[in-house]
Each structure stands twice: as C-alpha cells, then as structure tokens.
Amino acid sequence: MNTAELDKVLDEINEVIEGRRGWVSLTKARAKLIGISHDTLLGCAKVYQLKVAQHGRMGWSASRPA
C-alpha cells in the first residue's frame, strides 16, 4: 500500500470538506497506485458525505453536495 499517496488523497478530501478545494480526483489509476480497489476509494469520499460522480469517460471526482 502506498501510504504517501493515500495521505495525499485524504488531505485533498479534507480540503474539499473545509471548502478550500472544489473537488478531488478519484480515478481508477489513483486507486491502483494506492493499492486499494476503486470502490474502496470512492467509499472513502462517501463516508464524508461528499458527492461522487463520474467525470468524463475514465475519471471520477468527489465534491461537496450542492
């Protein structure tokens, strides 16, 4: 497991929650780099009640609900 990349994703999720960032990228490639499944990565954002949506053909992003 790549804990450095996981920490980076969690920091970005916290920035979205605090309103300092608009969205965080949750791609399948990023999940693979961390060493977890894509569903687990999406679940991390959903735990914080972020809106997860497909962005383009291959990407996923999480943002604060409207």
Side-chain angles (χ1 to χ4, degrees):
M1 178 178 282
N2 185 342
T3 57
E5 186 65 23
L6 179 59
D7 288 342
K8 185 177 176 183
V9 169
L10 293 176
D11 287 343
E12 290 176 10
I13 287 174
N14 284 328
E15 289 175 3
V16 171
I17 293 166
E18 294 168 357
R20 295 185 293 151
R21 182 183 197 91
W23 56 275
V24 60
S25 175
L26 303 173
T27 62
K28 290 180 182 178
R30 198 166 196 190
K32 186 176 179 180
L33 179 64
I34 295 169
I36 60 177
S37 73
H38 186 241
D39 290 335
T40 301
L41 183 60
L42 297 178
C44 289
K46 289 178 183 177
V47 164
Y48 293 105
Q49 300 176 346
L50 296 178
K51 177 184 167 192
V52 176
Q54 191 164 8
H55 181 72
R57 282 188 313 157
M58 310 257 312
W60 289 80
S61 64
S63 59
R64 287 182 291 156

